[in-house]
Amino acid sequence: MAVVRKTIRIEGMSCGHCVMAVRDALEQLDGIRVDTVDIGMATLELNDNESNLHDVARAITEAGYTLIEA
């Protein structure tokens, strides 16, 4: 299984607390390495597996934000 680097756009982030909330949510996921999280975006390394993006979207939603582009 190949590892893919993706930059995703996230709506609803506006401060350092938002960055930490998203980072914490993403770091809980198996098979995903969080590279950077900034206001409105995150860069991740994940297995080339569609279910991982679903997990990412769910974690972001549960943290109170919206994945708008992967």
Side-chain angles (χ1 to χ4, degrees):
M1 195 176 306
V3 173
V4 175
R5 185 175 175 93
K6 289 210 176 266
T7 298
I8 59 174
R9 292 182 48 211
I10 304 165
E11 186 174 74
M13 298 172 69
S14 62
C15 65
H17 171 76
C18 299
V19 169
M20 291 305 298
V22 169
R23 177 177 286 280
D24 289 345
L26 294 174
E27 287 179 343
Q28 300 300 315
L29 300 174
D30 291 330
I32 295 173
R33 183 183 154 300
V34 180
D35 187 20
T36 61
V37 179
D38 295 308
I39 293 173
M41 63 176 283
T43 302
L44 316 168
E45 289 183 4
L46 58 153
N47 293 330
D48 188 17
N49 181 335
E50 189 67 29
S51 66
N52 283 339
L53 282 178
H54 295 296
D55 293 342
V56 167
R58 186 178 65 245
I60 290 170
T61 299
E62 288 175 0
Y65 307 95
T66 305
L67 176 65
I68 57 174
E69 181 181 324

